[in-house]
Amino acid sequence: MASLKEIKTRIGSVKSTRQITSAMKMVASAKLHKAQGAIESMLPYQSKLNAILTNFLSTDSEIESPFTRVRPVQKVALVVFSSNSSLCGSFNANVLKQFALAHESYQQLGADNILVFPVGKKIEEKVRKMGYQTQGSFQHMADKPSYDETVQLATRLMEMFLAGEVDKVELIYHHFKSVGSFQLVQETYLPIDLSTAESASEKKATGRKIDYIVEPSVEEFIAHLLPRVITLKMFTALLDSNASEHAARTMAMQIATDNANELIQELTKQYNKIRQQTITNELLDIVGGSMR
């Protein structure tokens, strides 16, 4: 049985840990509030931009773009979003697991034909441990989402796709829904799929087909609109991943703090029980000695 001193020391250690986890939860919660505001501000803009694009697709005009051309996949690029630090539950573990599955599905292409763009330290370390060369380091984007840096990455991927250096680009990231809900997503980034895009929401709301007057032409407008939509999709994925990371860390630190509270209660009960037993034994010794 542990001594009173050992239990008291352990209680103090757990209390110190609780202070750390509680402070980390407050910091993560503050960062989550900021990240949540950023993603909520972005969604209406993205939604309207997509609505404009899909409304054009509902017209009789056949819209062609090099970003929509599907080719046999001989080279693929994987853009994977993780965090730079730990203590965020299963957030990074899920990303690494999904990346491993995606990598396995393209393994027949060969190592040189699988290009990885790791956004975050954890996925970057994983890729290097697997013996692969990364296509750059984007750790700064994981901590501080920047639209300018996102434009550079998206532009690079679009140029590679147009030049035929890659035939397909996929994103792996967490989609933020709420503080307690975020979903791991793997989706095709390029080529962009316009066949399933329809303005059903606006049609349902208005009961009629939306029509626009465009100058100089629909084709030229789409040629300028598509790169913006593609870039915005990348930035939204980055904001989604960032908000999900802070949500995961907030939940993980809350659980750790709750566990520390429960452990302190159990240790305190154990301490009081042993202390009471020690006092009782001392009293029995005193009584026994006086009766001799």
Side-chain angles (χ1 to χ4, degrees):
M1 182 179 293
S3 65
L4 288 174
K5 184 178 180 181
E6 290 175 344
I7 296 176
K8 192 172 183 180
T9 301
R10 192 177 178 193
I11 290 174
S13 176
V14 175
K15 284 183 177 179
S16 299
T17 303
R18 182 182 62 179
Q19 289 179 343
I20 295 173
T21 57
S22 179
M24 291 184 68
K25 179 209 164 186
M26 293 177 63
V27 173
S29 181
K31 290 183 178 180
L32 171 61
H33 181 73
K34 182 178 180 180
Q36 189 174 359
I39 190 66
E40 288 177 352
S41 299
M42 174 60 64
L43 287 177
Y45 177 73
Q46 183 193 29
S47 177
K48 191 61 181 178
L49 197 63
N50 287 337
I52 294 173
L53 175 62
T54 53
N55 283 333
F56 278 116
L57 299 178
S58 65
T59 65
D60 297 331
S61 304
E62 290 187 5
I63 297 174
E64 295 184 0
S65 170
F67 296 114
T68 65
R69 293 171 187 166
V70 179
R71 303 190 294 260
V73 180
Q74 297 179 349
K75 276 193 174 184
V76 64
L78 300 176
V79 185
V80 192
F81 296 81
S82 73
S83 69
N84 286 339
S85 56
S86 303
L87 300 177
C88 48
S90 60
F91 178 84
N92 288 312
N94 291 336
V95 172
L96 299 180
K97 182 179 179 180
Q98 188 63 35
F99 167 71
L101 292 174
H103 182 271
E104 185 179 355
S105 66
Y106 290 113
Q107 202 166 13
Q108 73 277 3
L109 299 178
D112 295 336
N113 296 323
I114 303 175
L115 309 180
V116 185
F117 294 79
V119 183
K121 182 179 179 180
K122 295 302 178 181
I123 183 62
E124 186 174 331
E125 290 177 346
K126 173 68 174 178
V127 173
R128 289 178 177 173
K129 284 181 180 179
M130 293 174 66
Y132 287 90
Q133 292 290 332
T134 63
Q135 301 301 309
S137 181
F138 308 94
Q139 294 183 21
H140 185 263
M141 291 174 60
D143 273 341
K144 297 181 179 180
S146 167
Y147 183 74
D148 291 336
E149 292 180 354
T150 305
V151 170
Q152 294 176 9
L153 177 57
T155 302
R156 180 181 173 186
L157 289 168
M158 285 187 282
E159 289 175 350
M160 292 176 68
F161 183 78
L162 293 178
E165 296 177 14
V166 293
D167 302 305
K168 189 176 184 181
V169 182
E170 290 196 352
L171 305 181
I172 299 177
Y173 65 97
H174 278 90
H175 171 55
F176 178 80
K177 293 184 177 180
S178 64
V179 177
S181 177
F182 36 91
Q183 178 184 3
L184 188 62
V185 176
Q186 179 179 345
E187 62 184 14
T188 301
Y189 183 64
L190 290 172
I192 186 170
D193 186 9
L194 301 180
S195 62
T196 58
E198 293 184 7
S199 53
S201 58
E202 291 201 14
K203 285 181 183 179
K204 185 175 180 180
T206 60
R208 59 184 177 84
K209 187 176 180 180
I210 305 295
D211 191 17
Y212 292 98
I213 299 175
V214 184
E215 294 181 357
S217 67
V218 172
E219 289 74 16
E220 188 170 344
F221 181 77
I222 290 295
H224 286 83
L225 180 63
L226 271 181
R228 288 182 175 271
V229 172
I230 294 170
T231 301
L232 190 64
K233 185 177 181 180
M234 176 72 73
F235 187 54
T236 304
L238 178 61
L239 293 178
D240 261 337
S241 178
N242 185 254
S244 299
E245 175 195 345
H246 296 313
R249 183 169 289 108
T250 300
M251 293 176 60
M253 292 302 99
Q254 179 63 57
I255 293 173
T257 303
D258 293 341
N259 290 340
N261 287 330
E262 292 178 4
L263 184 56
I264 289 172
Q265 291 179 2
E266 292 296 325
L267 290 173
T268 302
K269 289 179 182 179
Q270 187 179 354
Y271 177 84
N272 292 334
K273 184 178 179 180
I274 295 175
R275 183 169 177 271
Q276 184 178 7
Q277 185 177 350
T278 302
I279 294 173
T280 302
N281 291 337
E282 290 178 354
L283 288 174
L284 290 175
D285 289 342
I286 293 172
V287 173
S290 64
M291 292 177 65
R292 292 176 184 175

